[in-house]
Amino acid sequence: WLQYRYDTITEVVGLLADEVHAHGVPLTAAVFPTPAIARALVRQDWTRWKVDAVLPMIYNGFYKEDVAWIERATREGVSALGGRIPLFSGLYVPDLPPADLAKAAAHALAGGARGISVFEANGLTPEHWAALSAVLKKGRDPR
């Protein structure tokens, strides 16, 4: 039953991807945070999807994890994808004050993310932007 669910969802994504790609448009997917969590909670086997990039919603607060978990979750996804497509770690701004958003972004990059995506972009304050800017200029060091 579980394999049927994984395969069915993957097939639907594949059909959508074929149609979107036929029009020359790239396709991304905002997915659950890690391959293991995605399979267990919502039957997403997103490492097999025919998308151009994934944006896992690595919302540490939702899973009662610390900010450092973002690096571990990112690393799990990047490893499972094996370089086939890029991963952009999705960070949930309402749970992250500016200093924590900066740490979260640094951990995502250290975990191998190609970049980050922010969810609830309207929640980004000038302080968030300043903290993010400093990290993105600095690179992959989470300190």
Side-chain angles (χ1 to χ4, degrees):
W1 172 248
L2 290 179
Q3 190 62 52
Y4 169 78
R5 292 287 305 271
Y6 302 143
D7 292 346
T8 301
I9 294 168
T10 298
E11 182 180 350
V12 169
V13 172
L15 293 169
L16 292 169
D18 290 344
E19 183 65 26
V20 169
H21 289 144
H23 295 281
V25 177
L27 180 65
T28 62
V31 295
F32 268 58
T34 69
I37 291 171
R39 283 192 295 272
L41 296 183
V42 293
R43 310 303 180 238
Q44 293 176 342
D45 194 4
W46 52 259
T47 61
R48 294 176 39 220
W49 291 2
K50 294 189 323 186
V51 296
D52 299 293
V54 290
L55 298 86
M57 298 176 285
I58 306 178
Y59 301 171
N60 61 299
F62 285 31
Y63 298 93
K64 301 190 184 330
E65 297 283 353
D66 60 13
V67 173
W69 176 75
I70 292 166
E71 184 173 335
R72 296 187 304 274
T74 299
R75 194 173 307 283
E76 181 183 329
V78 168
S79 175
L81 290 168
R84 186 176 63 80
I85 59 172
L87 179 150
F88 297 85
S89 296
L91 308 176
Y92 188 61
V93 174
D95 281 353
L96 297 166
D100 285 348
L101 179 60
K103 289 177 190 173
H107 280 297
L109 295 173
R114 181 76 58 87
I116 63 164
S117 59
V118 292
F119 289 85
E120 299 279 337
N122 291 337
L124 287 170
T125 64
E127 292 80 15
H128 281 106
W129 283 112
L132 265 182
S133 182
V135 168
L136 296 177
K137 286 179 186 171
K138 186 176 179 184
R140 298 182 180 275
D141 182 6
R143 288 172 285 250

